[in-house]
């Protein structure tokens, strides 16, 4: 299992979420985002799951990957979030 925390610098829009979901579905590993303040777990491979709760500026996301390609999946999720977040 791999884990990395990211602080969201702006509200994630549906287009951001769609890009994340599409990328997540290219990996065999499970990919979850855990919202630190509520401990809510979102499935990064599900658009509906990702839209369950708005991801707002200042939110701390814990990205957790588990599986055969977990390291690559985590790297990709971090890259996408940093790109989406303007980092």
């Amino acid at each position: 299992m791999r884990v990395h925390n990211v602080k969201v610098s702006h509200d994630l829009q549906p287009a951001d979420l769609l890009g994340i979901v599409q990328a997540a579905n290219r990996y065999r590993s499970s990919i979850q985002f855990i919202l630190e303040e509520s401990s809510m777990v979102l499935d990064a491979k599900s658009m509906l799951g990702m839209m369950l709760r708005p991801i707002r500026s200042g939110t701390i996301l814990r990205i957790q990957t588990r599986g055969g390609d977990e390291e690559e999946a985590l790297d990709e999720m971090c890259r996408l979030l940093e790109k989406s977040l303007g980092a």
Side-chain angles (χ1 to χ4, degrees), residues 2-81:
R2 303 276 186 220
V3 177
H4 184 76
N5 290 342
V6 173
K7 184 175 183 177
V8 177
S9 64
H10 74 276
D11 297 352
L12 293 183
Q13 302 301 315
D16 299 320
L17 298 175
L18 180 59
I20 290 166
V21 168
Q22 288 174 337
N25 278 296
R26 291 193 293 260
Y27 295 95
R28 292 183 316 264
S29 295
S30 70
I31 304 170
Q32 298 178 325
F33 294 161
I34 302 163
L35 289 91
E36 288 290 307
E37 71 276 356
S38 66
S39 297
M40 183 176 216
V41 178
L42 305 177
D43 180 359
K45 293 184 178 187
S46 166
M47 187 66 176
L48 181 59
M50 290 293 289
M51 294 182 78
L52 282 175
R53 184 173 181 285
I55 301 174
R56 305 267 186 226
S57 177
T59 300
I60 304 292
L61 284 181
R62 174 172 286 160
I63 306 166
Q64 181 176 298
T65 59
R66 181 175 294 156
D69 55 0
E70 64 190 24
E71 191 168 338
E72 295 87 357
L74 181 62
D75 290 345
E76 178 72 4
M77 293 298 105
C78 290
R79 185 187 68 74
L80 281 174
L81 280 168

